Amino acid sequence: MHIVTPPEASREFVQNTRITKKKVRELHGAMIDLIAFMNQPQRDQALLAEAGVSLDRALFPLLVGIERFGPIGVVELSERAGRDYTTVSRQVAKLESLGLIERRPSPADRRIHEAVITDKGRQVTDALDAARHRLAAHILAKWSEEDLSDLVRLMRRFVDDLMASSSGTDRT
């Protein structure tokens, strides 16, 4: 396989010698570890149990996504979740049947139906947020305020820069 590097990316890499292959590999490794950890089914079960919420573990990330990013269409939600559109569509229908979200026509395009959280759904996401806080507080208890602030700031900056990358295909 032959990989072609765009000239502008190549120039930037040459000029920016502090970004070593080792550092990028370590960052990538940490991200893979984080994603693998967060994707463990027992993590979801622990959060649901801590929140006192009885909900299929495949549904609650979608409910949280709708709460955070809604109103949101199923296509965008499926892209954010990294799941197949048809699967997400069925799961959104299930959330609607449970009264946790409602779907309504988009004001911008009436052909698109957007998912919006209901008051009942917000009660669930509030319980999940409180549980997440309790679990994170335990883990971060020994961190200094400065370290925690740095983590939040740098993580937000990294994600924002990834999302804003011109190619949109950076998979770091």
Side-chain angles (χ1 to χ4, degrees), residues 47 62 94 96 102 111 131 157:
L47 180 61
L62 297 176
K94 179 67 175 173
E96 186 175 32
E102 61 183 36
R111 296 171 297 174
R157 179 180 172 188

Side-chain angles (χ1 to χ4, degrees):
M1 172 168 58
H2 179 70
I3 299 174
V4 177
T5 304
E8 63 279 359
S10 175
R11 263 196 312 278
E12 184 178 326
F13 181 76
V14 170
Q15 293 172 357
N16 202 342
T17 57
R18 76 182 190 288
I19 303 172
T20 65
K21 287 182 184 179
K22 182 179 185 230
K23 285 181 184 175
V24 171
R25 186 171 177 85
E26 288 173 359
L27 175 61
H28 186 251
M31 290 181 354
I32 288 173
D33 288 347
L34 176 61
I35 292 166
F37 181 80
M38 296 301 291
N39 283 337
Q40 293 174 350
Q42 61 268 34
R43 303 303 326 144
D44 293 344
Q45 294 298 356
L47 180 61
L48 288 166
E50 178 70 24
V53 170
S54 177
L55 186 65
D56 183 313
R57 67 175 202 84
L59 297 179
F60 94 85
L62 297 176
L63 179 64
V64 171
I66 293 166
E67 188 267 330
R68 300 288 197 270
F69 305 113
I72 187 169
V74 173
V75 171
E76 183 181 351
L77 184 61
S78 65
E79 288 172 356
R80 285 183 172 273
R83 296 184 192 167
D84 178 71
Y85 167 83
T86 57
T87 300
V88 171
S89 182
R90 283 192 306 274
Q91 292 169 330
V92 166
K94 179 67 175 173
L95 288 169
E96 186 175 32
S97 74
L98 295 170
L100 300 174
I101 62 116
E102 61 183 36
R103 291 189 280 186
R104 62 180 185 210
S106 165
D109 185 344
R110 307 288 270 165
R111 296 171 297 174
I112 297 173
H113 281 76
E114 297 174 325
V116 181
I117 195 150
T118 62
D119 289 341
K120 182 178 177 182
R122 187 164 311 281
Q123 290 174 353
V124 172
T125 60
D126 287 350
L128 290 166
D129 286 343
R132 190 176 292 109
H133 178 264
R134 288 189 300 273
L135 294 170
H138 172 73
I139 295 164
L140 298 169
K142 295 180 182 176
W143 286 49
S144 71
E145 180 65 31
E146 182 180 6
D147 285 348
L148 182 56
S149 294
D150 286 348
L151 175 65
V152 171
R153 178 181 57 81
L154 293 171
M155 182 67 74
R156 182 76 266 161
R157 179 180 172 188
F158 181 67
V159 171
D160 289 346
D161 287 351
L162 276 176
M163 293 172 67
S165 70
S166 60
S167 68
T169 59
D170 290 350
R171 299 288 298 185
T172 307

